[in-house]
């Protein structure tokens, strides 16, 4: 069952499940958009049948998993590129009418792509050694990305 799936495989099942509204593809089908408040209600709350899916009730744990599997957090586009003109000063903060629920997160992984389940096997959990290699190679750019977002 889904409990034995890897974390990326679980995400894949969720983002492609029409009943799950909190996790969806971005406009290009190359990234994940996660509506945090909805995700917590839908997938981490006790009531949902999917609540057992991640064995955690904390959104922070999900973000940690994403990071462990090499997903990068992107700045959320102010008004979903497809949604047309910006909705004034509040739009950038994500409080546009479409998402009254609070923070939305945009995550990207080069091997997590719409219609490419074959790539999922390449998403490996970062071991300490892998992480050190990555950190050594990515020190400068990831630092920069981080500063741009906060």
């Amino acid at each position: 069952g889904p409990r034995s799936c890897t974390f990326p495989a679980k995400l894949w099942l969720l983002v492609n499940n029409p009943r799950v509204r909190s996790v969806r593809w971005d406009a290009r089908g190359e990234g994940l958009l996660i509506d945090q408040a909805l995700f917590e209600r839908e997938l981490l709350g006790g009531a949902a049948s999917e609540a057992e899916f991640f064995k955690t009730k904390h959104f922070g744990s999900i973000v940690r998993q994403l990071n462990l599997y090499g997903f990068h957090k992107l700045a959320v586009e102010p008004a979903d590129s497809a949604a047309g003109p910006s909705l004034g000063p509040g739009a950038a903060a994500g409080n546009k009418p479409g998402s009254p629920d609070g923070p939305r997160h945009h995550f990207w992984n080069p091997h997590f792509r719409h219609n490419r389940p074959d790539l999922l096997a390449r998403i490996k959990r970062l071991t300490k050694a892998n992480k050190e290699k990555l950190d050594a190679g990515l020190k400068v750019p990831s630092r920069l990305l981080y500063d741009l977002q906060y």
Side-chain angles (χ1 to χ4, degrees):
R3 295 183 65 118
S4 55
C5 286
T6 63
F7 180 76
K10 289 180 179 182
L11 277 179
W12 176 264
L13 289 172
L14 288 176
V15 72
N16 291 304
N17 180 344
R19 287 183 314 139
V20 174
R21 303 202 326 279
S22 55
V23 186
R24 53 193 182 82
W25 291 106
D26 65 11
R28 287 187 300 277
E30 291 178 4
L32 277 178
L33 288 172
I34 301 178
D35 180 321
Q36 182 175 337
L38 195 54
F39 189 95
E40 286 169 344
R41 282 206 304 277
E42 253 186 352
L43 299 164
L44 305 179
S49 55
E50 280 94 351
E52 273 292 278
F53 209 60
F54 288 119
K55 305 187 190 70
T56 178
K57 296 211 182 311
H58 301 290
F59 190 75
S61 305
I62 302 295
V63 173
R64 255 204 312 285
Q65 289 280 333
L66 284 160
N67 291 331
L68 262 180
Y69 278 97
F71 283 79
H72 297 280
K73 195 173 184 335
L74 306 174
V76 175
E77 297 139 26
D80 268 12
S81 56
S86 171
L87 305 163
N95 29 2
K96 59 178 198 297
S99 60
D101 274 334
R104 286 174 50 241
H105 304 276
H106 193 179
F107 285 96
W108 176 85
N109 182 303
H111 303 305
F112 200 88
R113 303 285 280 276
H114 190 48
N115 292 334
R116 293 297 305 275
D118 54 299
L119 294 178
L120 284 177
R122 297 192 193 174
I123 303 179
K124 298 275 185 255
R125 195 183 171 110
L126 293 179
T127 58
K128 195 166 176 305
N130 283 352
K131 195 166 167 15
E132 281 162 8
K133 271 187 244 150
L134 260 179
D135 286 348
L138 292 174
K139 214 33 136 238
V140 182
S142 58
R143 187 72 246 165
L144 185 67
L145 260 176
Y146 186 88
D147 290 339
L148 288 174
Q149 284 178 44
Y150 294 95

